[in-house]
Amino acid sequence: DSGVTQTPKHLITATGQRVTLRCSPRSGDLSVYWYQQSLDQGLQFLIQYYNGEERAKGNILERFSAQQFPDLHSELNLSSLELGDSALYFCASSVGGAADTQYFGPGTRLTVL
Amino acid sequence: GENVEQHPSTLSVQEGDSAVIKCTYSDSASNYFPWYKQELGKRPQLIIDIRSNVGEKKDQRIAVTLNKTAKHFSLHITETQPEDSAVYFCAADNYGGSQGNLIFGKGTKLSVKP
């Protein structure tokens, strides 16, 4: 157990819908990262937050957004869902904002039908 | 930004043999290189990492080597066991770590045959 928690574990929804994924970092970690892993694909970096502020942005679609709250948990919002959005979404956390060890949560498996 | 290439994409070895996975990166400013192991449907787990002030690091049967001049790093697993079967990802920090996020290779599926 890495200490990073994610909810829900599984999510099944329809095209066009909107969902919210939640992540709680390890105690003491200030950075939260979101990654997308599609079938047989690697880990694609989406976005990073550090102590409530957006720190870095990767290949995140405009339909996706995220935020980090004062208690440091983070939410990833996915809207106007398409079939191709079906994937595993991982959250990771680290102590600082740069080049620190990242610990991954168990992931949320999103299925868009 | 950083780009990480990983080879091979699949690797099959006999139990007890060694396995080597190689990665190259593009940004000479990168200085943090972790390796993650991911079993099917589970989270990536850090198995070893190396920073640019070190050329080699070892932890029991696992070792990582780094050649900053050539911009490549490798994972070595000795005396492989069936439980080593998984997908292994290498990564490098982006923009020399100034942004914190990691850029991952596409992964190597390692199969260890009993």
Side-chain angles (χ1 to χ4, degrees):
Chain A
D1 186 1
S2 66
V4 180
T5 61
Q6 287 187 249
T7 56
K9 200 169 185 178
H10 301 279
L11 200 48
I12 301 175
T13 188
T15 55
Q17 295 298 304
R18 172 189 167 96
V19 296
T20 297
L21 313 183
R22 182 187 169 104
C23 167
S24 291
R26 295 186 322 153
S27 176
D29 284 1
L30 298 179
S31 269
V32 169
Y33 311 79
W34 286 97
Y35 293 90
Q36 180 192 56
Q37 186 175 43
S38 303
L39 193 64
D40 294 331
Q41 293 294 311
L43 290 151
Q44 298 294 319
F45 169 68
L46 296 178
I47 197 163
Q48 176 200 1
Y49 279 82
Y50 174 73
N51 203 21
E53 300 289 329
E54 183 184 303
R55 182 71 179 259
K57 218 167 187 177
N59 298 322
I60 187 167
L61 299 172
E62 285 192 12
R63 301 183 285 108
F64 296 0
S65 64
Q67 54 184 327
Q68 187 179 28
F69 295 87
D71 66 352
L72 300 177
H73 91 270
S74 177
E75 292 180 357
L76 179 67
N77 300 296
L78 315 176
S79 61
S80 303
L81 285 167
E82 302 175 359
L83 296 177
D85 297 327
S86 295
L88 259 174
Y89 290 84
F90 286 104
C91 162
S93 74
S94 69
V95 172
D100 284 330
T101 301
Q102 294 185 23
Y103 296 91
F104 281 76
T108 293
R109 182 173 294 280
L110 173 67
T111 303
V112 183
L113 301 175
Chain B
E2 179 65 276
N3 182 50
V4 176
E5 300 281 341
Q6 183 172 347
H7 299 280
S9 56
T10 60
L11 180 58
S12 183
V13 300
Q14 286 294 133
E15 183 177 359
D17 287 351
S18 294
V20 180
I21 302 170
K22 298 181 179 181
C23 290
T24 60
Y25 60 98
S26 60
D27 187 357
S28 57
S30 292
N31 55 29
Y32 175 60
F33 307 93
W35 286 87
Y36 285 84
K37 175 184 179 182
Q38 186 179 29
E39 296 174 1
L40 191 62
K42 296 193 175 180
R43 75 184 82 199
Q45 288 189 294
L46 180 75
I47 56 171
I48 197 167
D49 58 11
I50 192 168
R51 297 185 185 271
S52 60
N53 57 344
V54 174
E56 183 174 357
K57 186 176 177 181
K58 191 172 181 180
D59 182 4
Q60 299 182 337
R61 296 185 298 108
I62 294 173
V64 58
T65 58
L66 171 64
N67 183 326
K68 283 225 77 181
T69 302
K71 290 190 280 188
H72 67 71
F73 56 113
S74 301
L75 178 71
H76 304 253
I77 306 174
T78 59
E79 300 172 22
T80 53
Q81 300 166 5
E83 50 265 39
D84 294 329
S85 297
V87 178
Y88 291 81
F89 292 96
C90 63
D93 60 328
N94 202 15
Y95 294 106
S98 62
Q99 290 191 0
N101 65 289
L102 297 173
I103 301 300
F104 285 84
K106 291 193 181 301
T108 296
K109 184 174 183 179
L110 174 63
S111 299
V112 180
K113 298 181 179 178

